[in-house]
Every structure is written in C-alpha cells, then in structure tokens.
Amino acid sequence: MAPSTGDLQLTSPGAGKDSDELEDVRLLDSYEKHYIEHDETKRIQVRITGMTCAACSNSVETALRSVKGVTEASVALLQNKADVIFNPSLVKDGDIKNAIEDAGFEAEILPESGPADRGGGAAMVVGQFTIGGMTCAACVNSVEGILRRLNGVKRVVVALATSLGEVEYDPNVISKDDIVAAIEDAGFEGSFVQSNGQDQVMLGVGGVYSLGDAQVLEGMLSGTKGVRQFRFDPVLNELDVAYDPEVISSRSLVDGIQLGSNGKFRLHVRNPYARMASKDGSETSNMFRLFISSLVLSVPLFFIGVICPHIPFVYSLLLWRCGPFLMGDWLKWALVSVIQFVIGKRFYIAAGRALRNGSTNMDVLVALGTTASYVYSVCALLYGALTGFWSPTYFETSAMLITFVLLGKYLECLAKGKTSDAIKKLVELTPATALLVVKDKGGRTIEEREIDSLLVQPGDTLKVLPGTKIPADGIVTWGSSYVNESMVTGESTPVSKEVNASVIGGTINMHGALHIQATKVGSDTVLSQIISLVETAQMSKAPIQKFADYVASIFVPTVVILSLLTLLCWYIAGVLGAYPEKWLPENGNHFVFALMFSISVVVIACPCALGLATPTAVMVATGVGANNGVLIKGGDSLERAQKVKYVIFDKTGTLTQGKSTVTAARVFTGMDLGEFLTLVASAEASSEHPLGKAILQYARHFLFFDESSLASGTKNDAAVFKSGWLYDVSEFSALPGRGVVCFIDGKRILVGNRKLLEENGIDISTEVENFVVELEESAKTGILVAYDDVLTGVLGIADPLKREASVVIEGLRKMGVIPVMVTGDNWRTARAVAKEVGIEDVRAEVMPAGKADVVRSFQKDGSIVAMVGDGINDSPALAAADVGMAIGAGTDVAIEAANYVLMRDNLEDVITAIDLSKKTLFRIRLNYVFAMAYNVVAIPVAAGVFFPSLRIQLPPWLAGACMAMSSVSVVCSSLLLRRYTRPKLTTILEILVN
C-alpha cells in the first residue's frame, strides 16, 4: 500500500463543466452575481484553518491577490473558506495553498464544482457520523452544542450508546467534511458513515497496492460518463463515488471498472452498518489492549508494595540506594509514569477537549484524581531527597485507578456492543450475493451470474434457490414455494408464495426455486426501512433522559467542589488537632491524609452511568420489539406508551379481518338479481374501498360461478372485471364516509349508506329500513343501492372479527386501559361489533377527520391516548394520538403517521407494545438507581464521613473500581431486557393492574 498522510483526493472528471460535489457548498453568492468566469480561468475553493478575526481574512485576501495569475480572491471568515479565480496557465492549485500557508494559516483545496452547481438550491441532507471518544452525557451535550452552532445545520441528535450522530444540514451551506472537521476540532474522532443521498455509493477496492494503481483508478473514473465526484482512501481502501443515476447505475460503474482493469481491481459495495460494526469492534480491541498494558505494568507495583517486603533478597535490592532515591522508588516512578502519561494519555486528551469546550466529564475527574496522586508522590520523593524526611508515596494509587477505569470502559464497550445486536442481526438478514438471471430481448435466459446483493436494480430477475435468502423485495414471476418471513414479521408460520405473490428481502425460501422480479432495492426495501426505524429509535432521546442530561451538566463541577471541601475540612481539622495523630499513615501528615479522602471523592463520582441509563435501555427495547414484530419509532413513543389510558380502535381491518364478504342481497323492485349485481359491480369497479372489492367478488361468482377472486391482489384484477360483462361508467365519484356515485347509460346510480341516499333525496321505505336494521343488528353492514333515483336493493356485507380481538380487549381492561371503538360505519353495526368484542365506548358514523377530533376529546383531561388503525382514513387520528399504532398490513400513509408499527397484523401486539414500554421504563428507573446509588452512598464514605466513628476509609483505587462498575452495572441491567418475552394469549387475562 502506498504511504499516505491523509485521504488521497481524486478530482472529479470534467471539472468546471458538468461536475458536482458529493455535497456542494455555496459560498459567496453576491460575488458570483457580479463575476462571470472566462474559459481561460479556473475557480477553486479553499478551506482555511486558523482565522480568528477580520484582520486574518484581510491578510489572506492580500496574500492571495499578490500571487501572479490570481484574478480574484474573496475570503469568508465565518465559513473559514476562500473563493479564488485564477489563470491555470500562470498559477497552480498548490501555489495558492502555499501562499495561504506562508501567511501563517493552514489550507486545504476543496473538491471543485462546476458553474451548473451554483445555480440552484438543494434539499436538506440527513447524514450519519461516527463520533469517537465520548464518555458520558456531558460529552454528548458538548458535541450537540458545537454542531448546532454550525451555519447550515438544522437538527442534531447524538447517541452516546451507539457513538453515532445524525445531522440534518443544507449541503449548499455546509459539507459533510465541515461537520467532520467540527467534530474533530472539538477533540473527538469523527467520520462520515452515510447520508440519504441516492446517487452515491461507498465501495471497497481490492488490487490497489501503490500510488500508481491509485492513479490508474483515477484515470478510469475520470473517463467514466456519469461519474460526478470520487474520493479514494488508500488506508481503508474505500472509494466514495457520486454519480448521475440517470446516466450510470452503481452496477454498471462496478462492472465497468472491473472489466476495464481486466480484473485487477475488485470492487464490492460497503454496507455502512457493517462498517460501523467493524469500528465498534476496533474500539473494543483498543480498550482491551490499553487495559492489559496497564494491568501488566501495575502487577509489578503490587509485588513491590505487598510481596517483595516478605522476600529478603529482593527487598534488599529495592532498598538499595541509587542516586538520591531507593531502587524501589525509581522502579515505581518509571512504571507509573508510563501508565500515567502513555496509557492514560487518552484521559488527558479527552479532559482537555472537554475543558476547551466549556464542559466537564468523567475524563476530567480521572485526570484530576490520578494527577493529584502522581504529582504528590513525585513531590514527596523530591522533598525527601532534599530534606531527608521521607513521606509515603502513592504511585500505586494512580496506576490502580487507571487500570480499573480501563477495565470498566472495556466491559462497558463489550456490553454496549450487545445492545446493538438487533441492528446487526437485521443487517445480517440480507444475503451478501444474489443470482442475477440475464435474458435476451426475446425473454430467453442467456446466463445466470452472481452479483453483490447491494447492486440489485429494480426490474432485475433474480433466481432464489431453496434454503437461501431473498435478496430484495419483489414479485414472484416463476415457481412456487413456502417462505419463512418470521425474521421480518415475527410470524413463525411459513407463507405460501405463487406467481404474482410479493416477497420480502431477507426472508428465507424454504422449498422450491423461485424467479422474482425486484421491485424495491436499497433503502426502499421493507428490511431497510425496518433497520432505519430501529436505528432512528435508538438514536432518539426519551424525555426521561432530560433529567440525566441536566444532572450530568452540573455533576462534575459539584464533585470537584465537594472534593476541595473534603481536602480543606480534613486538613484544617488536622491542623487544629480535631482528630488524633494516630489516624495518620506512617510517616504521613495531615495534608496527605486529607488528600487521599479528596482523591477518593473525585474518582468515585462518575456521570457515565447516568448518560447510559436511558439510551442503552431504549436500544435493547427497540431491538427486542423488532424481534417480536413491534417496530418502535422513538424513545419518546416508548416512554409514552406505558402511560396509555385509552386505546382507540378502528373497526374495519383492525378489529375485523378486513376481508369483507357479501352475505345477503335483496332487490326491492322488479329488477332481476343478476342485472342488479351487474349494475352495482360496475359502479364499484373503480373504487379502492374493501367493500367495493367484496361486491365485485360476489357479483363475479354469482354470475359466472367463478371461484377466482380478488384475494390475490394482483395488478390485473381491474382488467379481469372489465372484460365485457361490466357496464361503462361515467362521472364516477367516491364520497368518503358515504359511498360512490356515478352514471350508467345516463342514469345516476348511488351505492352507499343511508346518509348518501338521504342527501340525494332518495326515500327509504319501511320494508328496506327494517331489512337494513336486521342486518346491522347482526353486525353486518347494509349497502343501499339507488338506480335512476329509485331505491333498488340492499346488500349485506360481513367482516369477521379477528379471533384474538375479544381477548385483547379484555386483557387491556385488566391492565387498566379503556378500549374505545371509532368507525365510519352506522351505529347499529358498530354497537353489534362492539358488543361482540366487549367494548362499551363506541363512536360511529365518524368521518376520517372526525377520528382525530375524537382522539383530541380524550386528550383534553391530559390522558395519554393510543390509536390503532390501518387505513389512509386513520392517518389523521394516528398522527393526533399520543401513541399511534399502525397495523403492518395497512397502508404506507398509516404506517408513516404512527409511532408503532405492528408487523404481524395481530392485535396481541398492542398489549406487547404497552407491556414492553412498561418493562423498559421500569428498567430505566432501575438504571438510575444503579447510576446514582454508587454516588449517593459512596461519596460520603469516600469523603470520610464515617471514618471517625467506624474507621471506614475508601482507598482511591477501590473508589476507581466502584466508579468503573457503575457504568457496567447500568449496561448489564439494560441487557436483561433481551430476556423479554411477549405476553402469551393464554396469560393475557391474568395481567393485573399495576
């Protein structure tokens, strides 16, 4: 591999013409309006580090304008950038960079952008960044504050448990490199992971062994049409490419480079989640190495202080005077210096950046406590050499403190890694490769070749062998099999798949071979959306975490003050003779005695556990929920669900199966029943309502005795029903909450409820009314049909209840939750269904917008309201509810509006969601007990409050161990949530009110 001091920047092809940046940065708009570049000039942007005032920017501008060939230069102080236009035949990019550096500042040439890039705006980009070095909630607050102050940044969320930051920013104002630079300037490690941009791809590259190979790769990319921008990192062998998806696809790009290099370069798509997992592993490995190194150096200190005094020969060597000190003192000083300043360097670096940013964290406490012990010991040695009065040293205290803290951080890394297992398992569901079926223009198969599954494109035909995973969402075009979808939906029973059936990427094909046509790939797949939902939930902050953030912000200063008060109180009390001299250590003094208490107070108090209490529990809970088919969209939703007082259910498709069937049809005029059904079916053929489909299915079966139905849900259903037996319809109109109206042969036909007919002046006879009432009282929906302004007939439609509905309703009552049903159906049908499932509070004949009003009416007294629905008409209510729960089989709009997605289409998951929320909040509160108990109990002990009466003293090294174990205890407590099992149907009724 070629040596490198940083990223190798490969310029974009066609710079100055059609090139775009990965994220373009707009600088000096006013300048652009007044200056037009000529063909012989070139424009570049330069990032400048070190400018602090207007004088600095003026100095840089003067330096640039003095360079021969530079025609214009303008410096933006706030953005730390310069815009330079120059003649490339007279001056090079490097000359401009050198001119800025000669002026005393650091310079970096930014990727070039063409004139086309500067004209229009761009949508906000949501990017993910890894942030290394955060140790507690104070670090999180510091990073969030710094990023929020950046110009162009709209929203920032930083998660301590995952070491991730999500930033929403305007790429016209700030680039991802600026954000990474801001993170690093704050003293943390930052790197870009991914963004929601669809026209860029991160590739792993094999076969690049030298700078020459990199230049060959650059040449190939520069000559590839459609490539906008690229950057190659020779250290990680990663290639970041931005491309025009209308000109070239990611697969064509990879194939072109591999074929063009005759196989020398081997490219594969880097999964961003896999890259993050590898970084987590490297952090754990690094922490383990530091701990082992510290332990290896601390063991000799233990032997010198405890074992060697009992071995005369060795002890005599330690007492041998070498210069001003004993050999033992030299050894301890040398060993501890390595531990303190080499292994423990990370604590000083982290403490320095925290103080530089105006915050304090755990690293400040560790650095303060260990430095105090180390400095005192060094001073004691020097004082003894000068005066002959030898005080005891406490080198081992510093070494043991660092060793125990590193042990705690290593255990914490291990435990935190397990909290993100849910994401890792979901990512692993996607197969690494896919079998692409290549066909000719006639549709005949030419070849089958294996490709990276991340390079599958919509429309590709893929072959899925038995026992393998389906690479993408799609439609079966050939074959039949059973597919295990439990890893996505939580439903263990394999699902039969025939031609035209839909399949989900990541699920397992059990038996026969299938050919599927990919319909959704990349971030559009169901699995990717689930991963995104879980990840977003893990990134979010539950409201209860505000308490921890506030405490963390004042915690360290408070502890430092307590430590100083401890030092002063014990020292002054000793000087005044308030305690006997025999309490002092051998050859010790009052200052040393007070200092040990003070150091113990500093190191026992750690805000790390507070910062981990909530996010680790939320991470585990969202992962457990996903494994049980319950997707939680955020920590706030998770917290609110445990306080739910009312659960409002939609009827159709929620409490019922949503598969309506016509059970009765009666004509009240002289019209033939077949003619009547043909009229109604023609009117409903253009409707998307489930009742309309049920009528079509019934009419087809009645007229043709055809067993095929619309249950398959294929695209050709409408065409099947318009095959000649339906009448032509004009002026069709669907009226939400009422029905449909249209014209057939110039005569108006109305199909809907009473309200529709009454609004149009259609009389409803007593005979018809009695028949409709009879239907409604038996939990069926009566559909009235008027043709040519005459009430012609009635259809009775039944929608069976879900088998678990009544048990779930009773279970909610046992939990102290009040169930409510809201439906657009008529009152009699609504009451009949409610009576059957056991719901007392019913709201019927409610329009879609009215459902949201019903939700708000229950919220007036401050009650927490959950809404369970599946249709588009439920989305306003789902959005208005405190906790919206969308049935997974429902519409995309409903799922988008909800806080929870119940993937299994099973009402039992409503109880699972509430129960999981309660268990999680209990665990979070318990975590706070673990986090605070060490401090509340141990700080008085560390300060020596009980020493006068009980002679209890907490040595600093033991205080360090307690501090380390507090974080480990919290994370392990959260991990116990992984043992959660959802309440079983047979035990739901035994749930008691908490």
Side-chain angles (χ1 to χ4, degrees), residues 849-983:
K851 291 184 178 181
D853 294 332
V854 172
V855 170
R856 295 187 189 98
S857 69
F858 283 104
Q859 292 173 325
K860 285 182 179 178
D861 62 351
S863 298
I864 302 298
V865 179
M867 171 71 193
V868 185
D870 70 320
I872 293 175
N873 61 335
D874 298 322
S875 55
L878 288 169
D882 299 290
V883 181
M885 298 184 185
I887 299 294
T891 64
D892 292 341
V893 177
I895 292 173
E896 184 68 27
N899 307 109
Y900 283 73
V901 180
L902 312 182
M903 294 294 294
R904 297 193 310 146
D905 194 14
N906 192 316
L907 291 177
E908 292 175 55
D909 290 339
V910 175
I911 287 182
T912 300
I914 297 174
D915 184 58
L916 178 59
S917 174
K918 289 186 176 183
K919 295 283 197 310
T920 304
L921 265 292
F922 170 78
R923 187 60 57 182
I924 289 173
R925 295 186 183 103
L926 190 61
N927 286 351
Y928 280 132
V929 171
F930 281 122
M932 298 298 293
Y934 287 91
N935 300 322
V936 172
V937 174
I939 285 181
V941 177
V945 172
F946 302 107
F947 186 80
S949 58
L950 302 176
R951 297 294 185 275
I952 296 177
Q953 186 175 12
L954 193 67
W957 64 268
L958 185 57
C962 290
M963 179 196 73
M965 292 310 297
S966 64
S967 296
V968 177
S969 300
V970 164
V971 180
C972 290
S973 170
S974 294
L975 287 175
L976 289 176
L977 275 172
R978 296 173 69 186
R979 301 171 60 185
Y980 173 85
T981 55
R982 63 189 181 204

Side-chain angles (χ1 to χ4, degrees), residues 430-445:
T430 305
T433 60
L435 202 57
L436 177 67
V437 178
V438 182
K439 297 183 178 181
D440 60 16
K441 294 181 180 180
R444 291 173 296 184
T445 300

